[in-house]
Amino acid sequence: MMKKRTIILLILLLLAIDQTIKIYVKTNFYYGEEYYVFGQDWFRLHFLENSGMAWGFKFGDGYLAKVVLILFRLAAIIWGTFYINKMIKKGYAKFFLISAAFIYAGALGNLIDGAFYGMIFEKSDPALQNIAEIFPSGGGYSGFLNGNVVDMWFFPIIDTRLPEWLPFWGGEHFTFFDPVFNTADVWISTGVLLLLIFHKKYHKTKKLE
């Protein structure tokens, strides 16, 4: 049985990694800047910002859509806090708690971006290619609940042009994997993946027992 302190420390560690990387990219890259990690074409840091959900997906346009999304994340975090606490008290299997911790840390990381980054960072302007300051003297680029999520991981493993003979898409540029995402998205995806893998194994073991 995992202790509450262990889960809290895991969440804080994951959150610290996510926020450290985001703050570093935001304050060292101009918008759209790209860096080839280890000189590899398929592994890049590519600084973008989005106002939507994980993996760059959007929940409508405009301020209202952004606030609704952030409030949804906040509700999920509040619910997740009580649910993880309940799981610990009921002695849930370790993999359930670790999976929940990853998902929780990822959701909280993106919530922090949307809620506070607009208040504490200067705007990253793609036209000016400026490096944004943290806590600028003139204030941030927007108000509370109106910040953008910082994305940076880009893995264009396949980057090619499709053959001309291919129906519909012949001659078009094709990239896989195209979305630019952040570490919080990785935590959420990892948590869901662990849940799917170990949940199946857990039920198989229970049946054998």
Side-chain angles (χ1 to χ4, degrees), residues 30-78:
Y30 61 80
Y31 191 93
E33 185 176 356
E34 197 166 72
Y35 172 76
Y36 289 73
V37 181
F38 306 125
Q40 299 298 315
D41 186 59
W42 58 269
F43 184 11
R44 308 178 197 176
L45 280 173
H46 184 97
F47 172 37
L48 291 178
E49 291 179 304
N50 81 80
S51 58
M53 301 168 72
W55 302 93
F57 294 112
K58 285 193 173 184
F59 185 73
D61 291 307
Y63 177 71
L64 182 61
K66 189 183 286 189
V67 171
V68 169
L69 177 60
I70 290 173
L71 291 176
F72 173 77
R73 281 179 178 148
L74 182 60
I77 289 295
I78 293 169

Side-chain angles (χ1 to χ4, degrees), residues 89-185:
K89 284 181 179 177
K90 288 195 171 184
Y92 272 58
K94 189 185 289 185
F95 78 85
F96 274 118
L97 294 169
I98 292 172
S99 301
F102 268 86
I103 295 168
Y104 185 94
L108 184 56
N110 283 337
L111 174 66
I112 289 170
D113 293 21
F116 301 109
Y117 273 26
M119 299 169 65
I120 66 171
F121 284 111
E122 181 186 12
K123 183 180 179 181
S124 297
D125 193 323
L128 296 175
Q129 294 190 341
N130 64 306
I131 305 296
E133 287 183 32
I134 188 169
F135 303 117
S137 56
Y141 63 84
S142 67
F144 181 53
L145 299 181
N146 201 26
N148 292 322
V149 174
V150 174
D151 291 329
M152 75 294 293
W153 300 119
F154 183 36
F155 293 90
I157 297 167
I158 299 172
D159 190 6
T160 187
R161 188 168 295 280
L162 297 173
E164 295 289 344
W165 52 262
L166 194 70
F168 305 113
W169 300 285
E172 291 186 11
H173 184 258
F174 174 76
T175 306
F176 178 85
F177 182 74
D178 201 40
V180 180
F181 55 96
N182 61 43
T183 313
D185 298 335

